[in-house]
Amino acid sequence: MGWNNWNAFGCDVSESLLLSTSEQLVSLGLRDLGYQYVVLDDCWQKESGRDQHGKLQPEPKKFPNGLKSISDRLHEQGLKFGMYSSAGEMTCARYAGSLDHEIDDAESFASWGVDMLKYDSCYHMGRIGTPLISFNRFKTMSDALQKTGRNVLLNLCNWGEDFVHTWGMSIANSWRMSGDIYDSFTRPDDLCGCDPTVISDPFCIAPGTHCSVLFILNKIAPIADRSIPGSFADMDMLEVGQGGMTDEEYKAHFALWAALKSPLFLGNDVRAMSASSYSIVNNPAILALSQDPHGRALTRVRRDAGPDVAKDQWGVGETHVWSGYLDNGDEAVVFLNAGAADLDDMSCSLAEIFTAFGPGGSAPHVQHDWAVYDLWAHRMSEATAAGIIAAATAEERAALLKKADWFNATETSYAEGLRNGDPRLFGEKIGVVEAGGVLRAPVKSHAARVFRLRRIAKYGETFKGKSIDRVARDEL
Ligand code: GAL
């Protein structure tokens, strides 16, 4: 989790941008919710390229004190420093790339105190076309980073090419699986090529840009189970707060990225953040899905795109149900309505929700009662969020966060909070689905509902070390 400058600033990077942003991350409490990496994307180099020793050089007008001073400052603030290069002769914005310079460049990154490398794939000199060719090209950097002895998280960015979902986890901590996101919920665009529903499309040679939230969801659906703890499919940086989507759309985008275990990189200008954006990305109950110790993504158990589903003007109206197991035995469920009309009654049976444990209702889970928790129920109020943003000093902000009793993952990890049943991570109980039953909820157009199902013990059983009588059951 962290922040990356690309979505909001593109090539307009500088020391002052990074350091003014890092101060905001700290004082808004975002670092303490887990947003730790401050990532400098493309365009940080001198246009003249490498120096006479073959080393990459930061542009002094943008970084007058060099890069080590930035990482030192970030480390003092309890943050981490991410940087960017490309496994090509040039980066995507045509600065020097690291292909065939991996050892030199890994040493530079390590000497600057870098903690994460986003590693792109532009100008690859034709070294693409089979999984093995791409694997070897990226592995050279993975090995070079290891050789420096510094712990550097590696984020591959080859947009899903050459079946990265089958090999990325051997050499990297995350791997981009689509072309670049843009700030739209459903709008298709020719620049985002490939059929999102055909993952094995061998002609998907130009994953492109302008990929909507819905496109990325459809593209990840068949490979969502490939993310494992330590190496996750990267659905690209967040667009929350950029202005192109509605509040409900941003909530859905954010919750699905969290539930699918995508890295969460804020992509907006956090120095000019609205209260509504802030109160989306600071929701600890949603972040606890992202940081759940089980570390596996939800998978899609249902997609309806037939004539019954209201279409919007782009003809992409559809609904999804995503579900997945969580470390403590709870089940996360997301109802997504990407259609043009509000739905009063979206539904999914327990049999479908628990398909992963046995299809056709054979999963034992279907025979239990489940309490339903709404994970957006305790979103920070607009007034509290606005008050924190408007506070004049970092001290005032800290006091307001304390007053709001906001979750602090630096003090208590999500894993511990979940183990202890910290109510801030569980939203609010809104109902019960009985054994063999159906989860139902209204879902507005272009919105998602996000639930945690918690098993209700049966009378007479011993559950979580407690023998269950009527009173104990009623407490659950
Ligand atoms: C793209 C990458 C973007 C951004 C950009 C920089 O290839 O997908 O996230 O890093 O290059 O030029």
Side-chain angles (χ1 to χ4, degrees):
M1 291 170 62
W3 173 85
N4 175 306
N5 66 265
W6 182 256
N7 285 354
F9 298 95
C11 279
D12 192 10
V13 293
S14 64
E15 171 178 309
S16 66
L17 171 65
L18 298 186
L19 296 185
S20 54
T21 297
S22 70
E23 267 173 36
Q24 290 286 312
L25 290 173
V26 175
S27 67
L28 287 172
L30 293 169
R31 175 198 64 191
D32 289 336
L33 285 163
Y35 296 97
Q36 285 185 4
Y37 287 83
V38 174
V39 184
L40 168 59
D41 209 283
D42 206 348
C43 310
W44 56 267
Q45 292 183 48
K46 266 187 162 173
E47 279 180 17
S48 57
R50 295 172 183 274
D51 69 10
Q52 76 264 37
H53 308 293
K55 293 283 192 183
L56 295 174
Q57 317 181 75
E59 167 53 54
K61 286 201 207 82
K62 295 174 176 171
F63 301 101
N65 301 299
L67 295 169
K68 180 69 168 59
S69 80
I70 293 183
S71 74
D72 287 346
R73 179 70 196 122
L74 294 176
H75 293 149
E76 276 163 26
Q77 290 174 299
L79 294 163
K80 295 188 161 124
F81 185 32
M83 278 190 68
Y84 164 100
S85 187
S86 177
E89 65 174 330
M90 293 188 283
T91 69
C92 296
R94 297 189 296 282
Y95 291 84
S98 293
L99 189 61
D100 300 331
H101 295 271
E102 291 86 352
I103 300 266
D104 264 340
D105 294 358
E107 278 168 6
S108 295
F109 294 132
S111 74
W112 293 330
V114 165
D115 305 294
M116 172 191 148
L117 180 68
K118 171 174 173 180
Y119 201 39
D120 217 330
S121 193
C122 282
Y123 302 101
H124 48 54
M125 313 277 283
R127 289 188 227 169
I128 182 192
T130 71
L132 187 60
I133 296 172
S134 286
F135 175 81
N136 287 337
R137 181 161 51 94
F138 284 96
K139 182 169 187 295
T140 315
M141 180 54 94
S142 178
D143 291 345
L145 289 171
Q146 295 250 12
K147 221 173 131 213
T148 66
R150 192 174 170 83
N151 198 5
V152 184
L153 209 71
L154 180 58
N155 169 219
L156 303 189
C157 182
N158 80 336
W159 324 294
E161 287 180 348
D162 279 349
F163 304 97
V164 68
H165 64 282
T166 64
W167 52 263
M169 59 293 283
S170 303
I171 52 170
N173 304 99
S174 59
W175 27 279
R176 273 277 295 283
M177 43 58 65
S178 81
D180 290 11
I181 193 170
Y182 83 144
D183 192 13
S184 165
F185 196 62
T186 55
R187 185 184 172 277
D189 191 292
D190 287 342
L191 289 179
C192 181
C194 315
D195 181 345
T197 59
V198 185
I199 189 65
S200 56
D201 175 6
F203 303 109
C204 179
I205 49 172
T209 56
H210 288 192
C211 297
S212 70
V213 164
L214 184 62
F215 176 97
I216 294 172
L217 288 170
N218 278 327
K219 190 162 184 207
I220 201 171
I223 57 164
D225 62 343
R226 299 305 180 99
S227 288
I228 53 170
S231 193
F232 301 95
D234 179 358
M235 300 164 73
D236 207 356
M237 288 122 15
L238 296 164
E239 293 286 3
V240 180
Q242 294 269 76
M245 296 190 225
T246 66
D247 188 63
E248 286 297 341
E249 289 174 337
Y250 280 140
K251 279 167 64 191
H253 164 37
F254 180 67
L256 277 152
W257 263 231
L260 271 77
K261 307 291 188 283
S262 174
L264 296 178
F265 283 97
L266 303 170
N268 61 324
D269 183 354
V270 294
R271 303 165 311 175
M273 205 163 182
S274 67
S276 59
S277 308
Y278 177 52
S279 66
I280 290 174
V281 301
N282 78 3
N283 181 342
I286 300 290
L287 290 169
L289 291 182
S290 160
Q291 302 301 307
D292 188 82
H294 185 52
R296 303 300 300 260
L298 271 63
T299 55
R300 189 162 68 191
V301 291
R302 211 161 117 188
R303 176 180 187 231
D304 291 313
D308 307 338
V309 175
K311 304 259 190 282
D312 62 21
Q313 82 250 37
W314 291 92
V316 288
E318 59 185 74
T319 62
H320 301 174
V321 179
W322 297 77
S323 75
Y325 178 79
L326 298 169
D327 187 59
N328 65 356
D330 292 355
E331 184 81 1
V333 181
V334 179
F335 280 7
L336 171 72
N337 174 9
D342 295 350
L343 295 174
D344 296 338
D345 184 29
M346 200 171 146
S347 63
C348 189
S349 66
L350 291 181
E352 280 178 294
I353 287 170
F354 289 106
T355 297
F357 297 91
S362 62
H365 307 68
V366 178
Q367 303 315 321
H368 291 291
D369 296 344
W370 295 85
V372 182
Y373 286 73
D374 180 346
L375 299 186
W376 280 112
H378 295 160
R379 177 180 179 181
M380 184 182 269
S381 75
E382 186 83 5
T384 303
I388 292 170
I389 290 169
T393 64
E395 290 68 35
E396 254 181 68
R397 282 184 171 170
L400 289 170
L401 279 159
K402 216 177 167 71
K403 192 168 157 225
D405 190 25
W406 216 245
F407 193 75
N408 181 326
T410 310
E411 283 168 6
T412 312
S413 68
Y414 287 100
E416 199 184 331
L418 289 165
R419 242 189 341 268
N420 299 337
D422 187 321
R424 294 171 295 187
L425 305 182
F426 290 89
E428 176 144 334
K429 184 173 166 188
I430 56 161
V432 168
V433 181
E434 289 184 356
V438 174
L439 175 63
R440 295 180 178 284
V443 192
K444 290 196 189 117
S445 163
H446 287 208
R449 301 290 303 272
V450 188
F451 306 113
R452 198 181 252 274
L453 305 191
R454 315 210 67 200
R455 181 155 99 69
I456 300 174
K458 291 185 172 162
Y459 299 128
E461 79 170 321
T462 301
F463 185 59
K464 296 188 175 166
K466 202 171 171 190
S467 70
I468 304 299
D469 56 22
R470 170 174 283 281
V471 178
R473 189 179 192 273
D474 287 348
E475 277 171 12
L476 288 167

